[in-house]
Amino acid sequence: MAKQAQTFFLEEWIQTNSGSTAINKTTTPQSARAIIQAWAHLRDSLTQKSFTQQHYQSLQTLMNSGISLYVADPQVKLVISFLSASHLSLPSESYPLFLRLLYIWVRKSSKPSLALVHSSIDVVLHLFSSQPVTVKLFTEGILLLGAFTFLPSTSHEKRTQCLDLFCKLLEQDYNLFDDLVPNVLAGMGYALSSCGAIHFTRILDSLFGIWNKQGGPSVSVSHGLMVLHLVEWVLYNCIQSQSFEKIATFARQILEASNARYAPFSVVMGAAGALRASNRSVSTGLMELRSSAENRIEIIANDIVSKNVNEAKDGVLLQCMSLALARSGDVFSSDSLLLCLASALLTEIFPFTRFYSKILEVRVNFSTTGIHEVNEHLQSIIFKEAGMITNVFCKQYARASEGTKTEVENLIWDFCQDVYMSHRQVVLMLRGKNEDLIQDLEEITLRAFYMVVFFALAVTKQKLVPNVPREIQLDISVKILISFSCLEYFRRMRLSEYMDTIRAVAGSVQEDQIACVSFVESIPSYGDLTKVHVSSNKMEFTWSKDEMQTSRILFYLRVIPTCAECIPAPVFRKTVAPILFLYMGHPNEKVTRASHSTFVAFISSGKDVDSERVLLKEQLVYYYMQRSLEGYPGVTPFEGMASGVAALVRYLPAGSPSIFYCVHSLVEKASSLCNEWKDLDDEPEPCKKLLDLLLRLLSLVDIQVLPSLMKLLAQLVVQLPEDGQNMVLNDLYAQVSDSDDVTRKPALVSWVQSLSYLSSQATINGATKRPESSGAKSWNKGRLLGLNRIFARL
């Protein structure tokens, strides 16, 4: 770190660490030729004893080169000549630029001439005693004076003179603009690293009190980060130089004493800087510094928790508190710190309440100010460090008291439900009107989803353990599942932490009926799902177009099968069944497949002795077949329907009327689809799949249903075109010949013989109605001979 500071200007370094690039945006590197010409014009000015606008432009050209400019001793002499020339009338705006040239020389010169250093100091001291001090001159003077004091070659006398003027300037009142703050802080950093105890105290007082002074800069996260890294830089230099007296002074004045003139956000960041500096040293003498820093952070955190955070500066304080903890390494744990981090995450890092309320207030015509606010938040340093803050948040949670843990858990679970409700409204209102804003919002919500996932995993590690009461474990598991369902829409990738948490909580819930019922009853009701929403522009939407709602229901449909055994029949009838059948008609195949899987899970669950459950299963079959077949082909996936049919014929009681209805419905649907069959090369795939399913049922249905199935299937087959009959019969021959079922095989053999005969007769009778070619007669004759050989084998 110290090496970096020697390589770069301190103001540049602290800005880089605070996420600011203001200086880089205002400088444009100049060519070597332009720089040489600029210096030549300035020499001409001294020769001509006049300073014109052209000379000022030359001075500006040098400034535009920024940190790439190098100022040698001859140029320094030229600058000193300008500042000490009594015969030249320099414009007031030129003085800050000349001071900047001296600053570049001081910081970039490896061994500046001692005589030139002292001459420069004398000129600068005289300048401030003879010229009115503007804000720009003030900031450049603070920066240069600090750099002079930081030079090892500066004599004690000159350093003291610089520090006296430095403190005098700081203690005066100036309207300090925000963009000038880095220069002032850097000057303070140089001075603090090189001054004695008296000046050290005065400068510290100015550093932490500058934001509360009249005309001081505004409170901001960027300034807070500058303070953090400035203090780290200064204290690390003190550690390196064994200046432990100054470290103790910093601890007493800033960390241990409470001063109302110091801005709390700057004190928090100063404490974090002290922690970072102590982390970089192995010295055991820094324990008191670390302890003082941690105590001060906790005191401010307690103060935040004890009052409502409703002002902008309190929001900045929360952000600074979270960044301070994120950048300080492994810090102490405290309930107040955990609550501060929770507030920062839910109100500042993911400020959905503020964003959504603004959007919904404006309704249709959302102002560009709001759009820019969302986009600016995406670029902010606090949002970019959301991952680090979440990591600290989870660590603080693990070490907090049980009462605070519960309080924070409830805050997170409520946050998830609030995001679900509000984001749905906003997206449905903005869809098709402001897609960029939706995309920006969802980029923020994606990070919020990660935060909830990692926090939930931390909760499971703390709460789903043997020493925690079972009822608490179940309550936590249900709340995590509900929260995940609310944010399922924002899941964009497969996270191992997400899957681990799901497995842990779902495994806990599926073992307890009360927990299962609690989770199932949290699903949105059928009425809420199908409610027609009307916005200010009369825009209506259907349930199937609500992607966020669909994602939430899909989550439920994936989890419910794991606990189907524990769901009582009345609860399934009232809560799950209506939604299950509704989403069987959803255009998204993933959703419809999940619906069929949920039906299969319920049909295959429970004991046969539960008459209420068996009755419900039989009742559901009627509507299941109706919903499945009315959407087939098209919406209903064949594999999903086939699994449902296989489950109901396997698990319903033998001879159930529902199975007869299922068979009859399948045959009826197949008959309507097969009417489109013309020839084998143009066979309708949906019809072929239904026929395959009916053939598989021959080995699945019970003996009581088998005769009805054979009869209906025979009626269907004889109506098929000749090529269709051949295909079905070939499949039947193979299926029956390979069967080991000694109970039903004799009946199937006889049935296949009869069906083959009926099919051949239907083909011959159909042929007699039209002139039959000799080729057709020959084919039918060969077909009958082939059938006889197959029957002999059967």
Side-chain angles (χ1 to χ4, degrees), residues 568-580:
V571 174
F572 194 90
R573 179 200 302 274
K574 179 183 177 181
T575 306
V576 181
I579 297 168
L580 170 74

Side-chain angles (χ1 to χ4, degrees), residues 437-454:
L437 179 56
I438 293 176
Q439 184 176 352
D440 287 346
L441 284 170
E442 293 190 351
E443 189 170 342
I444 299 173
T445 50
L446 177 61
R447 296 284 186 90
F449 169 77
Y450 293 151
M451 181 270 291
V452 172
V453 168
F454 285 103

Side-chain angles (χ1 to χ4, degrees), residues 375-646:
N375 189 262
E376 286 169 4
H377 185 73
L378 277 172
Q379 310 305 319
S380 67
I381 188 70
I382 189 71
F383 178 72
K384 291 179 180 178
E385 297 206 15
M388 292 177 60
I389 296 170
T390 298
N391 183 44
V392 177
F393 176 56
C394 293
K395 289 181 178 179
Q396 288 286 331
Y397 168 84
R399 296 178 287 199
S401 65
E402 287 304 316
T404 305
K405 283 181 180 178
T406 302
E407 182 180 352
V408 170
E409 288 163 14
N410 291 333
L411 287 174
I412 298 295
W413 312 147
D414 291 344
F415 167 79
C416 294
Q417 301 216 34
D418 290 342
V419 169
Y420 172 74
M421 297 301 296
S422 299
H423 194 82
R424 282 182 61 220
Q425 288 180 275
V426 167
V427 169
L428 290 168
M429 187 182 74
L430 296 178
R431 184 67 73 194
K433 300 172 187 175
N434 201 328
E435 297 294 332
D436 290 341
L437 179 56
I438 293 176
Q439 184 176 352
D440 287 346
L441 284 170
E442 293 190 351
E443 189 170 342
I444 299 173
T445 50
L446 177 61
R447 296 284 186 90
F449 169 77
Y450 293 151
M451 181 270 291
V452 172
V453 168
F454 285 103
F455 175 74
L457 181 60
V459 172
T460 61
K461 291 179 179 178
Q462 293 291 310
K463 295 294 181 73
L464 301 190
V465 291
N467 62 331
V468 174
R470 181 64 177 160
E471 55 272 19
I472 294 179
Q473 294 188 41
L474 294 173
D475 180 65
I476 286 292
S477 298
V478 170
K479 287 178 178 177
I480 290 176
L481 286 174
I482 295 172
S483 299
F484 277 13
S485 75
C486 291
L487 301 186
E488 174 70 10
Y489 172 73
F490 305 110
R491 186 163 65 96
R492 299 291 183 267
M493 63 173 63
R494 185 180 178 89
L495 284 176
S496 60
E497 294 81 2
Y498 176 83
M499 300 307 299
D500 291 344
T501 306
I502 288 287
R503 278 190 287 267
V505 296
S508 178
V509 167
Q510 70 186 19
E511 299 172 358
D512 185 89
Q513 186 179 81
I514 295 177
C516 285
V517 171
S518 178
F519 170 66
V520 168
E521 290 183 340
S522 69
I523 193 170
S525 68
Y526 181 90
D528 289 338
L529 294 174
T530 56
K531 186 186 299 180
V532 176
H533 294 249
V534 183
S535 66
S536 59
N537 65 340
K538 306 302 181 184
M539 178 192 70
E540 297 184 359
F541 71 94
T542 62
W543 60 272
S544 62
K545 294 181 181 178
D546 190 337
E547 295 178 0
M548 193 166 181
Q549 178 175 272
T550 298
S551 295
R552 186 176 188 194
I553 298 302
L554 180 57
F555 181 89
Y556 276 93
L557 293 176
R558 285 171 172 168
V559 175
I560 287 175
T562 66
C563 57
E565 290 282 348
C566 292
I567 302 176
V571 174
F572 194 90
R573 179 200 302 274
K574 179 183 177 181
T575 306
V576 181
I579 297 168
L580 170 74
F581 292 128
L582 173 67
Y583 279 84
M584 277 185 183
H586 196 279
N588 188 320
E589 187 175 343
K590 287 194 301 184
V591 180
T592 54
R593 282 179 179 272
S595 300
H596 286 276
S597 297
T598 304
F599 175 81
V600 170
F602 181 73
I603 290 295
S604 58
S605 69
K607 309 296 183 188
D608 292 341
V609 295
D610 186 351
S611 58
E612 185 179 15
R613 196 177 193 86
V614 173
L615 178 61
L616 176 59
K617 291 179 182 180
E618 292 186 318
Q619 292 171 343
L620 292 180
V621 167
Y622 294 94
Y623 198 54
Y624 174 76
M625 295 308 303
Q626 178 184 341
R627 287 289 288 167
S628 297
L629 292 176
E630 72 182 5
Y632 180 81
V635 175
T636 302
F638 174 77
E639 292 78 9
M641 180 176 64
S643 65
V645 169

